[in-house]
């Protein structure tokens, strides 16, 4: 059997090795590694050392060493594809010469020949399994049949032309069928291309799936996320580049077509009632302040909630956009039309996260059916796709690819001109709050490749004028993205093939002219500000018909930013990262008080558990033997979970799979059927845990969230009002000195002050032993922790360490006097108590101990070192009751200190929490 | 505001944009101001002036004070100074930018159209004419600061004046920022509005002397 490394045939050389390039290379390497030396006796002359000769010999040796080092570096085993910059390397170990840039292909081919790299085209590989063999045979047969058919038709074409269909006679032309959108029911995902249909049985691909699958880590085939194949993170290293692109230079783009859109239409009163019962109860939305929102020129983003037996419960974040009313007909038209004023019919879009989509849809259907006259709900999940952008270059990237469709002054859309005037905006947060722009755009492929946007002369002044006045309300027309017909027309954009053909016929460099075949693409742009104010970047969200997303995405990814490079691609991880750097909670991971968030948490638990189980016993954390100091053993609660059940004293919940929906919201019958049908039955066994219809109805579903404003009101209220039992608040923590929190880290409050037992004033002398309270902890634990807070004036935080450092060492060779002095000093500075107590009894190597379990207030859901803060931050949830108690007892400053200890570690670190 | 044609010399009588009568009225009761992010000077590449590698475009539009912004070299790096930034980190960032500027001054024509690349071939890798009108402001690095950060930017700039081979130029400017006036109580019937505010700004240009 021949080895892969040995090329076939060939004679052998003198050493018995076949003479080939590979052996030549080996010789070269050996030569490079060989360092020449000169024997030292050459410098000896009659027993005397000739210094000159000796030195020159050493000099020669050093030269030889350096030369060898350089040579080794030159001949080492690098392949040519390793010269490609990392961002351009699509596959890490690309041995395929066709995959490297053209200029390197010749060299790569040569290297492959030298190495005898096997080159197999998977298409032409001989089938090995029975299944593959059968498939190959079928393919062969089909090919034969297709050939036969082709021949037949060709013959028919040659022979009988007159047999073609009679034209213009009895032929009825109808419009092509549009995809059905059922009212109050869930819709089917778009029918996949037959080639890819089998891979999309349990999930749906994003419109840009094929592009992403080559460049990003996707969810694994049998565990999709929220019934979609979602890119998780880019295959190239991207943590720091994403941070830079999102804040300083560049742009990051996501295909977030998995976000679900729901349309609701009916009378405006009915819609108002539905929205109010979904939790949009702020008066500011329904009085004069909310006029712009209701007119459709602003959006609303917030948390929706639903009414349950025991109070309200959050569903998840959503964005609500109204469709503007059609312009009122002029007065004479009103007279001619029916005298009875028609009740105004309105339309809204609700855009939400797929993990809470089903819950919201059920709730909406229930509410819509309860209205009189009835409202209708449409599931527009696969009708409308979306792209999200962040970064200083996001606006210019959008400007570079979206050109208004209507350009003549008569037909020009007002929003389109406002959008074009945004050239020079480097942060969508500098637009008015919650701004919306809706217009029709040209197919971006007509002007491919996209060009850099130029800022017009004196653009700064006009830009500021636009930003202040924001003239979007003149002759407002209904947005075409709400219109099913225009969405459908837009989804029939010409194929890439025909665009290419037109481009070929066109002069080079010229944009392709718009013809009747190019439909306008309805676009809805939403500008959102970060939750935290300041200079942080805002986000653009572009909604467009699902079928147009791919064309837009390809152009977007090739837009040349003025600061260099192209927009980066982002995945789910990047979305979490940016939310974390902005200090905002990410849905669903940081929302354990919602069903979607709890599902996420349970999945994460299962994942951590299986990872832990897979490790050998000797290499995994033994939770029971964790030493927390002062004789406390074992982790509090489950070490692999953000154990809110333990914290709030709820019965233990089980894995998300095993629960059945028992007393959830009563579902209207047809919708319920559709929903039961919607997840295919195989899915239940498929092992994934993402089915939105499964929600663990258990004890943890009773956890509720207290909002920031509600909590602040509770803090301010004079009477000892208590938050509802089992409620939590979401907080953002910043570490004060050191420490990095990981998910599942435990959050403690500072231990309460010891009960006042002031001994008489004789406590001038130091007590011989540190006082130990009944719980086994030092009584001054709170002071120990507070001493860790750097004082404002000096900023010196290591005073405690200095004080605790041991006695100075006795210097060697000093006189008796100094010895005595040093000894006396050491006696005085010896730490008391003098034999020190056992390790981890009063402190952990000088670090204060963690408080007891009754001071546990919550868990960290996301934590890492934050590149934007330059220190570790974390986002977590803490028990509202305990937090409020602490704030009332110790005041706002000290009450907000907390101690964060990672699960499985005994050392905690001081942090400060803020509500988010 | 002066038009580009009426370029008044320095020191001439010119209506100030921040005269007392031009001051903004006090915000109504029950409102508060929410600042929008400051506009960032656009980073523009021009293709016309590829040979001199100078951005001439923003020379044609004067500032609100009637001040012509000095042209910027294409390789100029802009560093925005925040009041919380540490001194050393700013110094390091400036140094790094200066180093990369020195490396890139050899003249890369990457990203330029073909005509510009060919034109650049003919020029003997020369620096722009030192006697020209625009030679004095081709900063390699520009620190931009407003408000409380001005002091920090000046300190950093001052620390670079000690170095022989660097030149430091300070310029003052006015930047326009947009403020939102928001009602504090939710039940208020009035809508939010926006208005313009003038912010003083300092630009510290640092470049290689040679």
């Amino acid at each position: 059997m021949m080895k892969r490394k040995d090329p076939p045939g060939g004679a052998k050389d003198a050493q018995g090795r076949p003479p080939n390039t590979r052996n030549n290379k080996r010789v070269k390497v050996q030569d490079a590694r060989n360092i020449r030396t000169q024997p030292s006796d050459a410098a000896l002359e009659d027993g005397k050392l000739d210094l000159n000769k000796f030195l020159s010999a050493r000099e020669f040796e050093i030269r030889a060493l350096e030369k060898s080092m350089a040579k080794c570096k030159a001949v080492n085993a690098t392949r040519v594809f390793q010269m490609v910059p990392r961002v351009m390397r699509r596959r890490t170990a690309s041995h395929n010469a066709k995959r490297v840039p053209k200029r390197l292909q010749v060299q790569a081919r040569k290297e492959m020949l030298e190495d005898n790299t096997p080159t197999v085209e998977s298409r032409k590989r001989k089938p090995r399994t029975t299944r593959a063999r059968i498939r190959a045979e079928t393919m062969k047969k089909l090919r034969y049949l297709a050939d036969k058919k082709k021949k037949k038709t060709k013959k028919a074409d040659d022979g009988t032309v007159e047999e073609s269909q009679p034209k213009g006679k009895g032929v009825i032309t109808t419009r092509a069928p549009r995809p059905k959108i059922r009212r109050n029911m869930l819709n089917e995902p778009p029918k996949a291309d037959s080639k890819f249909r089998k891979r999309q049985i349990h999930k749906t691909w994003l419109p840009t799936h094929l592009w992403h699958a080559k460049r990003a880590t996707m969810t694994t085939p049998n565990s999709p996320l929220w019934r979609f194949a979602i890119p998780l993170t880019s295959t190239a290293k991207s943590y720091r580049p994403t941070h830079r692109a999102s804040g300083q230079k560049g742009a990051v783009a996501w295909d977030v077509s998995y976000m679900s859109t729901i349309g609701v239409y009916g009378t405006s009163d009915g819609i108002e009632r539905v929205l109010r019962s979904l939790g949009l109860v702020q008066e500011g939305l329904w009085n004069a302040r909310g006029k712009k929102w209701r007119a459709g020129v602003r959006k609303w983003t917030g948390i929706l909630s639903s009414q349950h037996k025991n109070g309200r419960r959050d569903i998840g974040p959503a964005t609500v956009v109204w469709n503007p009313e059609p312009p009122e007909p002029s007065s004479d038209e009103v007279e001619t039309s029916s005298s009875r004023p028609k009740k105004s019919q309105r339309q809204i879009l609700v855009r939400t996260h797929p993990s809470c989509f089903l819950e919201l849809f059920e709730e909406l259907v229930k509410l819509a059916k309860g209205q009189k006259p009835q409202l209708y709900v449409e599931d527009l999940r696969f009708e409308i796709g979306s792209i999200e952008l962040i970064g200083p270059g996001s606006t210019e990237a959008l400007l570079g690819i979206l050109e208004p469709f209507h350009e003549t002054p008569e037909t020009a859309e007002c929003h389109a001109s406002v959008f074009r005037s945004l050239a020079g905006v480097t942060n969508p947060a500098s637009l008015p709050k919650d701004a919306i722009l809706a217009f029709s755009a040209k197919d971006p492929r007509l002007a491919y490749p996209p060009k850099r946007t130029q800022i017009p002369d004196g653009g700064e002044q006009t830009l500021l004028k636009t930003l202040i006045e924001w003239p979007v309300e003149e002759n407002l027309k209904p947005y075409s993205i709400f219109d099913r017909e225009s969405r459908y027309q837009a989804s029939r954009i010409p194929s890439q093939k025909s665009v290419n053909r037109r481009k070929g016929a066109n002069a080079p460099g010229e944009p392709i002219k718009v013809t009747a075949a190019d439909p306008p693409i309805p676009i809805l742009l939403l500008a959102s500000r970060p939750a935290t104010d300041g200079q942080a970047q805002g986000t653009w969200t572009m909604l467009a018909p699902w079928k147009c997303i791919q064309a837009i995405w390809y152009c977007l990814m090739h837009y040349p930013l003025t600061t260099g490079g192209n927009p980066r691609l982002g995945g789910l991880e990047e979305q979490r990262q940016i939310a974390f750097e902005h200090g905002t909670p990410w849905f669903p991971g940081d929302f354990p008080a919602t069903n979607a968030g709890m599902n996420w948490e349970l999945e994460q638990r299962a994942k951590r558990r299986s990872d832990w189980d897979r490790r050998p016993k000797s290499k995994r954390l033994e939770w029971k033997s964790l030493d927390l100091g002062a004789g406390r053993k074992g982790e509090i609660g489950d070490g692999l979970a953000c154990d809110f059940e333990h914290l709030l004293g709820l019965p233990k919940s089980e894995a998300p799979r095993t629960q059945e929906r028992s007393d959830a919201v009563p579902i209207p019958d047809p919708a319920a059927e559709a929903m039961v049908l919607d997840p295919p039955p195989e899915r239940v066994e498929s092992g994934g845990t993402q089915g939105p219809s499964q929600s663990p109805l258990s004890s943890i579903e009773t956890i509720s969230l207290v909002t920031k404003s509600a909590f602040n009101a509770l803090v301010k209220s004079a009477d000892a009002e208590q938050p509802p039992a089992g409620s939590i608040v979401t907080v953002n923590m910043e570490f004060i000195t050191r420490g990095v929190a990981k998910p599942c880290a435990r959050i403690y409050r500072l231990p309460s002050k010891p009960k006042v037992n002031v001994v008489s004033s004789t406590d001038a002398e130091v007590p011989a032993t540190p006082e130990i309270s009944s719980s086994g902890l030092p009584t001054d634990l709170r002071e120990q922790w507070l001493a860790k807070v750097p004082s404002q004036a000096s900023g010196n935080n290591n005073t405690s360490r200095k004080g605790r450092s041991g006695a100075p060492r006795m210097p060697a060779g000093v006189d008796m006097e100094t010895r005595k002095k040093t000894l006396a000093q050491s006696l005085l500075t010896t730490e008391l108590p003098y034999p020190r107590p056992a390790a981890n009894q009063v402190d952990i190597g000088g670090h204060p101990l963690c408080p007891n379990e009754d001071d546990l207030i919550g868990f960290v859901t996301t934590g890492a070192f934050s590149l934007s803060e330059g220190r570790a931050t974390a986002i977590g949830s803490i028990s509202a009751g305990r937090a409020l108690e602490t704030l009332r007892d110790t005041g706002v400053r000290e009450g907000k200190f907390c101690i964060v200890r990672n699960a499985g570690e005994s050392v905690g670190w001081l942090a400060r929490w803020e509500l988010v | 505001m002066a038009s580009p044609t009426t370029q008044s010399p320095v020191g001439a009588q010119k209506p100030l944009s921040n005269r007392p009568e031009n001051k903004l009225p006090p915000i109504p009761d029950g409102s508060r101001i929410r600042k929008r992010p400051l506009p960032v000077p656009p980073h523009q590449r021009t293709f016309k002036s590829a040979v001199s590698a100078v951005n001439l475009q923003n020379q044609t539009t004067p500032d609100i004070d009637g001040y012509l912004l000095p042209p910027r070299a294409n390789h100029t790096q802009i560093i925005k100074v925040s009041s919380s930034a540490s001194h050393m980190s700013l110094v390091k960032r400036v140094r790094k930018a200066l180093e990369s500027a020195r490396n890139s001054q050899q003249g890369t024509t990457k990203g330029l159209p073909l005509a510009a690349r060919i034109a650049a071939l003919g020029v003997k890798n020369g620096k722009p004419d030192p006697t020209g009108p625009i030679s004095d402001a081709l900063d390699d690095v520009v620190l931009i600061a407003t408000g409380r950060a001005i002091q920090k930017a000046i300190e950093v700039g001052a620390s670079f004046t000690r170095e022989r081979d660097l030149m430091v130029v300070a310029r003052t400017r006015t930047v326009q920022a947009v403020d939102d006036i928001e009602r504090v109580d939710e039940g208020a019937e009035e809508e939010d509005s926006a208005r313009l505010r003038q912010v003083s700004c300092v630009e510290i240009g640092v470049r290689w002397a040679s």
Side-chain angles (χ1 to χ4, degrees), chain A residues 749-755 778-783 851-852 854-855 885-886 889-890:
Chain A
R749 58 186 171 193
L750 290 184
S752 53
K753 285 173 192 148
K755 300 284 169 291
T779 44
D780 65 337
L781 191 59
R782 185 186 178 83
E783 282 67 46
N852 267 335
D854 46 337
D855 285 325
E885 191 186 309
T886 324
D889 287 353
T890 56

Side-chain angles (χ1 to χ4, degrees), chain B residues 86-160:
Chain B
S86 87
H87 183 84
M88 257 343 269
S89 101
L90 285 172
V91 170
K92 277 181 188 164
R93 282 167 73 186
V94 171
R95 278 195 197 289
K96 200 172 176 189
L98 282 171
E99 282 309 313
S100 74
R102 169 162 275 182
N103 294 339
S104 71
Q105 249 171 9
Q106 263 64 340
T108 170
T109 51
K110 198 181 171 192
L112 295 176
L114 192 64
R117 285 180 157 192
I118 293 168
L121 277 179
V123 178
K124 268 194 183 166
N125 197 16
K127 299 225 156 51
D129 180 16
T131 56
I134 46 166
S135 66
D136 67 330
L138 297 176
D139 301 314
D140 294 321
V141 188
V142 176
L143 292 160
I144 296 186
T146 61
R148 273 187 299 166
I150 287 180
Q151 191 198 355
K152 186 142 278 174
I154 297 280
E155 279 169 8
V156 174
S159 72
F160 279 104

Side-chain angles (χ1 to χ4, degrees), chain B residues 30-173:
Chain B
S31 308
R32 64 165 184 179
I33 282 196
R34 193 181 282 262
K35 293 175 189 168
R36 290 194 200 167
L38 283 175
V40 180
H43 185 287
Q44 273 199 333
R45 283 193 191 186
T46 50
F47 300 138
K48 296 167 212 155
S49 53
V51 179
S52 60
V54 170
N55 184 351
L56 287 160
Q57 199 157 20
N58 50 8
Q59 218 186 11
T60 52
T61 51
D63 204 348
I64 39 165
D65 306 326
Y67 170 61
L68 281 183
L69 289 180
R72 263 191 197 127
N74 274 339
H75 67 268
T76 303
Q77 286 204 25
I78 297 167
I79 296 175
K80 287 174 278 171
V81 180
S82 78
S83 57
S84 61
S86 87
H87 183 84
M88 257 343 269
S89 101
L90 285 172
V91 170
K92 277 181 188 164
R93 282 167 73 186
V94 171
R95 278 195 197 289
K96 200 172 176 189
L98 282 171
E99 282 309 313
S100 74
R102 169 162 275 182
N103 294 339
S104 71
Q105 249 171 9
Q106 263 64 340
T108 170
T109 51
K110 198 181 171 192
L112 295 176
L114 192 64
R117 285 180 157 192
I118 293 168
L121 277 179
V123 178
K124 268 194 183 166
N125 197 16
K127 299 225 156 51
D129 180 16
T131 56
I134 46 166
S135 66
D136 67 330
L138 297 176
D139 301 314
D140 294 321
V141 188
V142 176
L143 292 160
I144 296 186
T146 61
R148 273 187 299 166
I150 287 180
Q151 191 198 355
K152 186 142 278 174
I154 297 280
E155 279 169 8
V156 174
S159 72
F160 279 104
T161 52
R162 266 180 266 151
E163 295 188 24
R164 286 269 176 80
D165 50 351
L166 292 180
M167 279 173 75
V168 181
V169 189
R171 287 180 289 268
T172 57
R173 277 180 57 197

Side-chain angles (χ1 to χ4, degrees), chain A residues 217-244:
Chain A
T217 317
M218 310 293 286
T219 51
T220 48
N222 46 18
S223 64
L225 208 50
W226 313 308
R227 320 200 71 223
F228 280 98
I230 292 178
L232 296 176
T233 182
S234 138
T235 41
K237 282 191 181 183
S238 61
Y239 194 81
R240 202 172 275 260
T242 303
H243 164 73
R244 290 202 177 121

Side-chain angles (χ1 to χ4, degrees), chain A residues 282 284 287-289 291-292 426-427 429-432 452 455 457-458 461 464 467-468 529 533-535 562, chain B residues 34 36-38 40 42-45 47 60-61 64 176 178 180 185-192 194 196:
Chain A
Q282 302 98 309
N287 61 17
R289 280 189 86 194
K291 215 172 77 192
K292 282 189 177 156
T426 47
N427 188 347
S430 55
L431 266 56
R452 280 207 179 95
I455 300 171
D457 253 10
Q461 290 302 314
L464 281 169
L467 289 183
I468 291 169
R529 291 188 182 176
D533 264 344
Q535 306 283 316
T562 47
Chain B
R34 193 181 282 262
R36 290 194 200 167
L38 283 175
V40 180
H43 185 287
Q44 273 199 333
R45 283 193 191 186
F47 300 138
T60 52
T61 51
I64 39 165
Q176 288 176 312
V178 183
D180 282 327
D185 52 332
E186 262 193 8
E189 293 286 307
E190 281 167 68
E191 284 179 43
D192 302 341
L196 209 62

Side-chain angles (χ1 to χ4, degrees), chain A residues 706 710-711 714 717 719-725 727 879-886 888:
Chain A
V706 178
F711 190 82
L714 278 175
S717 72
D719 51 331
E721 210 180 320
Q722 284 298 320
S727 59
S879 154
R882 288 195 182 178
L884 192 65
E885 191 186 309
T886 324
R888 280 181 181 153

